[in-house]
Amino acid sequence: MEKVGFIGLGIMGEPMALNLLKAGFNVIAYNRTEAKADVIIEAGGENGRTPKEVAEKSDIIITIVSDTPDVHDVILGENGVIKGAKKGSVVIDMSTISPSVTKDIAAKLKMENIEMLDAPVSGGDVGAINGTLSIMVGGNSEILERCKPILEAMGKTITHCGTNGMGQTTKLCNQILVSVTNMAVSEAVLFAQKSGLDGGKMVEATKGGAAGSWQLSNLAPKMIDEDFAPGFMIDLQQKDLRLVLEAAEEIHLPLPALSYVHQLYKSNQANGEGKEGTQALYKSVKRLTPK
Ligand code: NAP
């Protein structure tokens, strides 16, 4: 069985690494803040002191860290994966980052005979804990076949989307879909309420038809109950929307609806609501209307 290196034991990474251990893989784990690796070691994993050391001890190296510069650092940095990885090993980056930087990283790894898959995920911490993530993969299909047993220990739906960068591009499409739909749901809830219609009735009557969506079923009831506790935080969503807008800029593509949602989330952040769930978009829409 291939040895799996795991870099980044945050909200997502820790349960994903635990699922790999449960599936019987040898896991060599690294986290920048070392103490966070204790859970993995207690569960039977091994510790690596740097991404380089993790790569030296592994055949497949997974990274799931915060943002584009962080992935660049742990893979190509001074003590990065590239400094320790064996020829023929594979890096699977499961963070959500820039598609174009992903392509550059893959090209630099390829020059050292190291393969790469970009494999960002959706499904949140619940999907990570339950091993039911949706995984969107960019890269060579034979490499994906080799890595499938590893991905299957963490996710339920694994889709090969194309060459390197296309997994990240798919994830950014996912973020356009969830954000712009959230905007429509916020407007519909507010429109119902301002018109004297019970918001719950509106959701009940529309969710089974053509207007149905995950956002309508799950976020509209929270908007109605004024429950703004995070499932997915606005601050995190904004990082992804920034990635979408940067990638759209690179291809000179206007995204007016997404840009508008990004600005409204900015208003949430300016109002101290960045740590609230994305359903708090409703509050920004509400603030646009007179009392
Ligand atoms: P998180 O809990 O904030 O964890 C981030 C991890 O990255 C931590 O282990 C952190 O180490 C590490 N890290 C950050 N910068 C680093 C650097 N420069 N060098 C080394 N390690 C670094 O974040 P998360 O929620 O697990 O998210 C991780 C990735 O998954 C992100 O790209 C996110 O967009 C994506 N994602 C998240 C969700 C979600 O619901 N949370 C869903 C889908 C996708 P320290 O412990 O030392 O800070």
Side-chain angles (χ1 to χ4, degrees), residues 139-158:
N140 177 295
S141 54
E142 281 169 28
I143 301 297
L144 171 56
E145 280 314 307
R146 175 176 159 194
C147 296
K148 268 245 170 94
I150 291 167
L151 297 177
E152 281 167 352
M154 298 180 284
K156 204 170 65 174
T157 311
I158 297 158

Side-chain angles (χ1 to χ4, degrees), residues 8-13 30-33 36 64-67 70 73-74 94-96 121-122 124-125 171 232 236 239-240:
L9 302 165
I11 291 172
M12 298 297 285
Y30 165 85
N31 196 71
R32 181 179 57 182
T33 308
K36 285 197 205 164
I64 178 153
V65 293
S66 306
D67 206 344
D70 307 310
D73 242 38
V74 297
M94 304 189 80
S95 328
T96 302
V121 300
S122 78
D125 56 339
K171 169 74 191 205
F232 192 59
L236 280 180
K239 176 213 125 193
D240 291 354

Side-chain angles (χ1 to χ4, degrees), residues 115-135:
E115 298 289 340
M116 179 172 172
L117 297 175
D118 45 301
V121 300
S122 78
D125 56 339
V126 175
I129 292 164
N130 296 335
T132 55
L133 293 167
S134 293
I135 306 177

Side-chain angles (χ1 to χ4, degrees), residues 61-212:
I61 305 108
I62 293 174
T63 54
I64 178 153
V65 293
S66 306
D67 206 344
T68 311
D70 307 310
V71 173
H72 193 277
D73 242 38
V74 297
I75 296 179
L76 301 180
E78 204 182 327
N79 269 314
V81 169
I82 197 166
K83 298 282 168 33
K86 295 170 252 185
K87 293 193 188 322
S89 56
V90 183
V91 174
I92 310 177
D93 177 40
M94 304 189 80
S95 328
T96 302
I97 66 159
S98 153
S100 57
V101 175
T102 294
K103 280 187 226 164
D104 290 347
I105 295 174
K108 291 206 169 81
L109 288 170
K110 188 79 186 167
M111 283 164 68
E112 304 295 326
N113 288 314
I114 303 160
E115 298 289 340
M116 179 172 172
L117 297 175
D118 45 301
V121 300
S122 78
D125 56 339
V126 175
I129 292 164
N130 296 335
T132 55
L133 293 167
S134 293
I135 306 177
M136 307 157 212
V137 185
N140 177 295
S141 54
E142 281 169 28
I143 301 297
L144 171 56
E145 280 314 307
R146 175 176 159 194
C147 296
K148 268 245 170 94
I150 291 167
L151 297 177
E152 281 167 352
M154 298 180 284
K156 204 170 65 174
T157 311
I158 297 158
T159 309
H160 186 213
C161 303
T163 52
N164 278 128
M166 290 303 145
Q168 294 295 354
T169 301
T170 308
K171 169 74 191 205
L172 297 188
C173 290
N174 184 81
Q175 301 311 72
I176 297 172
L177 290 164
V178 297
S179 302
V180 177
T181 308
N182 191 18
M183 178 75 194
V185 170
S186 301
E187 288 195 352
V189 169
L190 197 63
F191 178 72
Q193 291 173 328
K194 291 277 180 192
S195 309
L197 167 63
D198 179 83
K201 287 281 170 216
M202 182 276 287
V203 174
E204 191 188 318
T206 58
K207 70 179 181 188

